[in-house]
Amino acid sequence: MADEAELREQMIDAFENADYPVSGPMDLVPALPDGPSTRFESGDFSMTAMELNTKTAGGDFPYEDVDSLVDDLIAELKAADEL
């Protein structure tokens, strides 16, 4: 089972250096340590940033800060039964 707090921390670490506000998923790519191949893992959960983008609705852009972005991503993963 995935640890939500661990995933949240990984996502914040990966997305926090984006140039906020961000207007779409492509604005996040330069901030990712391994680009679209950046992987988020916890327990039995493993997903790249690219997979994350395809498994979620993509968020409610624009985002002013990393916390609101990550909150929405976690909520969307839960709604899609990925978490």
Side-chain angles (χ1 to χ4, degrees):
M1 178 169 214
D3 180 338
E4 181 182 329
E6 182 180 10
L7 284 174
R8 181 178 300 278
E9 183 178 330
Q10 289 176 31
M11 289 180 186
I12 288 172
D13 287 347
F15 295 125
E16 70 185 344
N17 292 324
D19 188 17
Y20 290 90
V22 293
S23 59
M26 293 308 293
D27 289 349
L28 299 168
V29 174
L32 295 171
D34 294 322
S37 298
T38 300
R39 186 166 293 280
F40 304 102
E41 297 179 302
S42 176
D44 60 353
F45 179 91
S46 179
M47 193 175 287
T48 65
M50 183 174 284
E51 291 170 320
L52 183 64
N53 187 48
T54 62
K55 300 274 185 180
T56 63
D60 188 21
F61 287 92
Y63 284 99
E64 297 296 323
D65 58 68
V66 69
D67 292 319
S68 57
L69 169 67
V70 172
D71 288 346
D72 280 359
L73 289 172
I74 294 290
E76 288 188 40
L77 287 170
K78 285 181 175 179
D81 287 331
E82 295 288 340
L83 280 183

